Amino acid sequence: MDFKTWQHVFKLDPAKQITDEHLDRICKSRTDAILIGGSDHVTLENILHLTERLHQYTLPVVLEVSIIDSVIPGFDYYFIPTVLNSDNPQWIKGLHHEAIREYGEILDWDELVPEGYCILNAECKAAKLTQAQTNLTTEDVIAYARLAEHFFRLPIFYLEYSGMFGDMELVKKVKNVLTETRLFYGGGIDSATTAKKAAAIADTVVVGNVIYENIEKAIETVQAVAETAD
Ligand code: 1GP
């Protein structure tokens, strides 16, 4: 299944615990895909453990690569973030260069999907880790979206509010300038209501934390997005 058709994605953090029952509900929820990713304590071991548990399900599974040593074969896609609003080139192209130096000969480029991240919640781990410049005007964010689509020609522009529900007016303005590049929105979707608001604008909504806080609410977001996006 092509990631360009996905409307709802669950993001599982390999460093967090999830019971078999909850994992089963997530995988049978009719979400379009599972994205495995996190900022903290991600290791090869916990990725392997989670991946093995997902093998029995047929839905697409994507590894969002945050540490090079965690890359293992077998995923449908590898999403590779480049943090456009980072002040540290390491997170824009440094780690990528390092990985390509190491594995360039054997990479299957068709499986790699670069994501242009714009991180807007200053308090989230990803913002701190990547030294993201989050104090941005609407014009700044729109310019990052255009940079992603027209300059770097990235297939995904990801507005990341991880941990808080974002400014939907801003998300709408960003959506309005994107044509080819898909707009992913993630952050603070914790109910059918917030899921509908985000799905009314973004192409793909990413639901993370609520999986671990309230599984019922997490499951509700799938139907909410399907109703809204259609
Ligand atoms: C995190 O964008 C995702 O990378 C989802 O955010 O955990 O706040 O749902 P939440």
Side-chain angles (χ1 to χ4, degrees):
M1 190 186 187
D2 188 343
F3 72 90
K4 290 181 182 151
T5 64
W6 296 347
Q7 296 171 334
H8 181 287
V9 171
F10 275 125
K11 191 183 275 194
L12 291 177
D13 185 338
K16 290 186 181 164
Q17 302 297 322
I18 184 165
T19 63
D20 287 342
E21 188 215 326
H22 287 188
L23 192 64
D24 193 62
R25 292 189 64 189
I26 290 293
C27 292
K28 292 178 178 164
S29 66
R30 296 181 165 264
T31 185
D32 293 309
I34 300 289
L35 198 51
I36 298 184
S39 307
D40 242 4
H41 309 298
V42 176
T43 63
L44 179 60
E45 287 68 35
N46 56 29
I47 290 177
L48 267 172
H49 179 63
L50 182 57
T51 310
E52 277 164 17
R53 295 171 72 200
L54 289 167
H55 270 153
Q56 57 180 305
Y57 302 100
T58 52
L59 81 175
V61 181
V62 178
L63 180 64
E64 189 172 55
V65 178
S66 52
I67 51 167
I68 298 167
D69 295 341
S70 72
V71 181
I72 45 172
F75 290 91
D76 293 275
Y77 292 108
Y78 297 83
F79 280 8
I80 318 288
T82 171
V83 183
L84 301 175
N85 64 326
S86 171
D87 274 345
N88 183 344
Q90 189 75 347
W91 299 101
I92 307 167
K93 53 86 187 173
L95 293 167
H96 318 67
H97 178 248
E98 219 176 283
I100 291 167
R101 260 189 69 159
E102 182 93 10
Y103 303 109
E105 289 292 330
I106 54 163
L107 284 176
D108 181 347
W109 298 98
D110 291 335
E111 291 176 346
L112 302 189
V113 181
E115 307 170 285
Y117 259 71
C118 184
I119 307 178
L120 292 171
N121 175 8
E123 299 308 315
C124 75
K125 282 173 195 158
K128 291 180 177 156
L129 181 71
T130 64
Q131 294 150 259
Q133 178 56 258
T134 57
N135 189 14
L136 301 175
T137 64
T138 301
E139 288 67 34
D140 290 329
V141 180
I142 286 175
Y144 278 126
R146 288 187 163 133
L147 186 73
E149 173 158 326
H150 300 288
F151 187 77
F152 290 120
R153 300 190 186 273
L154 298 171
I156 295 171
F157 184 65
Y158 192 139
L159 279 180
E160 172 66 291
Y161 279 93
S162 182
M164 70 176 267
F165 193 63
D167 174 354
M168 289 300 118
E169 285 306 311
L170 175 60
V171 179
K172 195 177 282 174
K173 286 177 184 155
V174 166
K175 172 64 191 162
N176 286 342
V177 302
L178 293 175
T179 315
E180 297 293 322
T181 296
R182 235 180 132 72
L183 178 61
F184 275 45
Y185 169 84
I189 295 176
D190 58 1
S191 62
T193 311
T194 45
K196 281 184 179 181
K197 284 182 187 163
I201 307 166
D203 298 309
T204 305
V205 304
V206 183
V207 177
N209 239 348
V210 69
I211 299 166
Y212 304 95
E213 288 168 355
N214 188 331
I215 189 74
E216 303 300 334
K217 294 274 183 201
I219 300 293
E220 279 176 19
T221 66
V222 181
Q223 180 67 23
V225 168
E227 286 170 9
T228 312
D230 291 344

